[in-house]
Amino acid sequence: MNDRDQSVESADGTRLVVRRLGVGDPVVLVHGSGGGLHSWATVAERLAPDHEVWLPARRGYGPSDVPAGTKSFRDETADLLAVIEAARQPSGRPVHLVGASYGATLALHTALADPRDVRSLAIFEPPLFAAGAEIAPLLDRYRAAFERDDAAAMAAALNDVTRVPAEIVAALAASAGDRTPDPVEARRSATGWLHDLEALAGDSTDITRWSSITVPTLLLAGADTWEPMPATMDTLARTIPAARHVVWAGQSHFVTMTAPALVADALRQFFVEVSAA
């Protein structure tokens, strides 16, 4: 850990490492699969001048703990509630909760389970279509590839989970060129993916359950993201009462990396409107 990091203990004793920066109303940014402390960095830097930003590394992702056993969204909801409690303590103010991809699914679970300290909810493209029994065989494929450290087979299984079109996979591979991933970071990411798939396989694709969310909610999406994400987001927008749905032209599932200023500006405007309501 560096001097900007601290530990938060979850209900079951799992140690979560959180990066904290900025001053102001607390904002918790939850990363997606394959991420970590770095995932929201460029967005967080833009929010930090007027918000206290908390960036947790979820369980299963170093430097947070990687507990033994199968992970569930119940485990991670308890983790996120512990982070929220830590984030609200300095000021006593409830937090703005933001999640991207898998982290958005986790944010939905958390806002539904215990919204008392959640001031607002902003979620970007949760993969609500990738859950339940359909994911189980893909989890098995991924686990087998993980155990033999077969990066190509792990990537193929993940592509079947996320349904990324072949042309996008090819473009991403081409952009990487001859760069070789750091083996430690690659294994850390692979481990996190394994546990995320466990939670997804134990979850449901039932979107109607999110209709009970009543905190102010902002749904964010890229117009260029592949199906079934657009259809999923449209359904979610009809499901959560009074949720605002913003679709960015020319952006895709990677907008937090490709256009961080766009994301930070949308979040900041939403936080101001929520605070003024």
Side-chain angles (χ1 to χ4, degrees):
M1 295 194 299
N2 64 34
D3 58 6
R4 295 186 299 164
D5 300 344
Q6 66 185 72
S7 293
V8 172
E9 186 173 307
S10 188
D12 66 356
T14 296
R15 182 187 65 99
L16 306 166
V17 175
V18 182
R19 185 155 293 164
R20 179 179 170 188
L21 61 156
V23 293
D25 285 346
V27 178
V28 176
L29 302 177
V30 190
H31 70 81
S33 295
L37 292 174
H38 62 282
S39 298
W40 281 99
T42 51
V43 174
E45 289 165 1
R46 288 165 170 81
L47 293 175
D50 44 19
H51 293 86
E52 184 178 74
V53 186
W54 292 63
L55 306 167
R58 297 190 286 101
R59 72 166 59 203
Y61 288 89
S64 293
D65 287 348
V66 184
T70 300
K71 189 179 77 171
S72 70
F73 275 108
R74 178 175 294 182
D75 298 326
E76 287 214 272
T77 295
D79 294 349
L80 192 47
L81 288 172
V83 172
I84 289 170
E85 173 62 21
R88 70 176 297 276
Q89 281 181 358
S91 65
R93 294 190 290 267
V95 309
H96 297 292
L97 179 59
V98 184
S101 196
Y102 177 104
T105 304
L106 174 55
L108 285 168
H109 276 279
T110 305
L112 186 63
D114 190 346
R116 288 174 296 176
D117 294 326
V118 177
R119 191 174 193 178
S120 72
L121 176 66
I123 61 172
F124 175 75
E125 297 191 340
L128 304 178
F129 56 86
E134 179 181 334
I135 300 301
L138 300 177
L139 167 60
D140 292 341
R141 271 178 54 197
Y142 184 88
R143 181 180 284 114
F146 176 85
E147 289 174 352
R148 62 178 187 270
D149 200 17
D150 185 338
M154 283 188 282
L158 294 181
N159 289 340
D160 286 345
V161 172
T162 59
R163 307 187 196 179
V164 183
E167 60 270 23
I168 295 179
V169 174
L172 291 172
S175 67
D178 296 329
R179 287 174 292 175
T180 302
D182 176 85
V184 174
E185 289 300 319
R187 193 62 176 176
R188 174 181 287 182
S189 177
T191 301
W193 263 109
L194 173 63
H195 295 298
D196 287 353
L197 289 175
E198 291 173 346
L200 290 170
D203 201 24
S204 165
T205 57
D206 176 20
I207 293 182
T208 63
R209 57 187 161 156
W210 311 121
S211 64
S212 299
I213 291 176
T214 58
V215 298
T217 301
L218 176 66
L219 306 180
L220 301 168
D224 294 348
T225 301
W226 52 92
E227 289 289 358
M229 186 62 78
T232 300
M233 292 301 294
D234 288 344
T235 302
L236 187 60
R238 293 191 299 269
T239 299
I240 299 179
R244 189 195 312 169
H245 187 193
V246 174
V247 181
W248 288 309
Q251 301 298 331
S252 73
H253 197 62
F254 311 112
V255 67
T256 55
M257 294 180 290
T258 60
L262 179 68
V263 178
D265 288 347
L267 291 174
R268 184 179 290 106
Q269 179 181 348
F270 176 57
F271 299 156
V272 168
E273 291 172 357
V274 168
S275 298

